[in-house]
Amino acid sequence: MLEIQELSKSYGKHLAVDRVSFFVPDGQVGILLGPNGAGKSTIIKSIAGLLRYQGRIGIQGMSARTLEARKIFGYVPEIPAMFDALTVREHVEYIRKAYDSDITEEEVQALFQRFELADKQEKLGNELSKGMMQKVSICCALAIKPKVILLDEPMVGLDPQAIKELKKIVLELKEQGVTVLISTHMLEMVEELWDVMFVMDQSHIIGSYRKEDVGEKDLDDLFFEMTGGEKR
Ligand SMILES: Nc1ncnc2c1ncn2[C@@H]1O[C@H](COP(=O)(O)OP(=O)(O)OP(=O)(O)O)[C@@H](O)[C@H]1O
């Protein structure tokens, strides 16, 4: 589970996230949906421990600042960061060791197969395309076998096959009871995945929905109603 209480973050005088609170239960997919600059990445980076913030972030009931909490969550940043001198395989190996993960070699190979990285395992970080880096970054986060996973705009830069695979993986994680938080500005990317949706605009959550309450209503209509925009 992921619990955010009164999270605020300023960059200098600019308040990027203003007293945001939300909760994603075990085995559910939460979506942070909003336009560019709404504050989604700032929330995700705060949860990942990359920023100083005000408020409380709980992961499985523990403060996100604790080592115990950090050991059980995976994070896929918006912009993947690779080690230039490590191969694809070594990236995953590094994470496996750092997190003392019990992921097996077979499971690592299965992940590489799913993301079409099996024949790229010996390529170095600085020899990868942007999309390949994104795939390695996803494999690294999954190699932790996390209880909570944060995916910041994960579909951007991925090819259609990888998007399909990632969506399948998100549904599998959900089945396993993992808590997933995905940020996106593209509603159509998460339509079949979400359980709880937090719509953000200008540093705030302006509305939240649970899938069971929305029923058959058109999500686009709800979203544009809330943000005051026009439907495409
Ligand atoms: N390092 C930074 N220094 C100063 N301002 C920042 C910094 N990072 C983000 N901001 C500002 O904070 C606000 C929220 O940015 P954030 O990246 O969280 O938005 P976002 O919803 O993730 O947007 P996008 O969809 O474009 O990734 C924006 O106004 C942005 O300009």
Side-chain angles (χ1 to χ4, degrees):
M1 74 171 84
L2 178 63
E3 191 172 17
I4 311 296
Q5 288 173 334
E6 297 277 306
L7 175 67
S8 294
K9 168 69 193 171
S10 297
Y11 297 104
K13 284 190 180 152
H14 177 68
L15 187 57
V17 173
D18 188 9
R19 286 166 296 147
V20 160
S21 301
F22 63 90
F23 179 70
V24 188
D26 286 345
Q28 292 208 1
V29 178
I31 305 294
L32 281 175
L33 177 73
N36 295 134
K40 307 178 299 292
S41 292
T42 301
I43 292 177
I44 292 203
K45 285 185 198 157
S46 300
I47 302 170
L50 301 178
L51 298 173
R52 286 173 180 232
Y53 56 85
Q54 289 176 316
R56 190 183 176 282
I57 300 175
I59 297 201
Q60 305 298 97
M62 300 177 279
S63 162
R65 300 182 205 263
T66 61
L67 191 61
E68 288 88 340
R70 284 177 188 220
K71 282 186 89 169
I72 57 167
F73 77 79
Y75 165 53
V76 179
E78 189 173 15
I79 301 165
M82 296 287 108
F83 294 109
D84 285 353
L86 290 190
T87 63
V88 166
R89 214 191 136 67
E90 285 165 346
H91 275 85
V92 175
E93 186 58 15
Y94 173 76
I95 293 293
R96 192 184 66 74
K97 288 201 172 127
Y99 282 81
D100 198 18
S101 165
D102 60 8
I103 190 163
T104 63
E105 180 58 26
E106 289 71 33
E107 287 172 320
V108 171
Q109 289 306 321
L111 271 180
F112 286 161
Q113 288 288 349
R114 294 184 79 166
F115 285 107
E116 297 177 321
L117 290 171
D119 58 345
K120 307 199 170 54
Q121 295 184 49
E122 301 311 323
K123 270 191 184 276
L124 292 170
N126 62 10
E127 296 171 339
L128 301 176
S129 71
K130 155 92 180 27
M132 286 176 202
M133 289 186 196
Q134 183 73 354
K135 292 176 183 180
V136 176
S137 186
I138 293 168
C139 290
C140 285
L142 293 170
I144 295 168
K145 292 209 169 172
K147 294 266 187 294
V148 175
I149 188 163
L150 315 170
L151 302 154
D152 196 354
E153 300 275 7
M155 318 312 188
V156 174
L158 290 184
D159 56 45
Q161 177 57 32
I163 291 177
K164 206 168 135 199
E165 211 53 59
L166 180 60
K167 287 182 178 177
K168 271 200 230 161
I169 286 176
V170 167
L171 294 173
E172 288 165 19
L173 289 169
K174 200 169 118 91
E175 286 278 295
Q176 295 158 19
V178 174
T179 306
V180 183
L181 182 69
I182 303 176
S183 91
T184 185
H185 56 275
M186 292 183 292
L187 195 53
E188 63 271 24
M189 284 294 172
V190 294
E191 238 156 3
E192 64 274 50
L193 302 179
W194 71 286
D195 296 296
V196 277
M197 169 114 38
F198 309 103
V199 181
M200 289 200 70
D201 198 22
Q202 297 182 14
S203 329
H204 297 97
I205 289 182
I206 55 168
S208 24
Y209 296 113
R210 291 187 310 158
K211 186 143 204 173
E212 64 254 43
D213 298 337
V214 169
E216 295 302 306
K217 276 187 219 155
D218 187 300
L219 264 184
D220 267 349
D221 284 343
L222 285 173
F223 177 60
F224 288 105
E225 224 170 72
M226 214 179 305
T227 54
E230 296 278 318
K231 195 179 169 190
R232 281 161 295 156

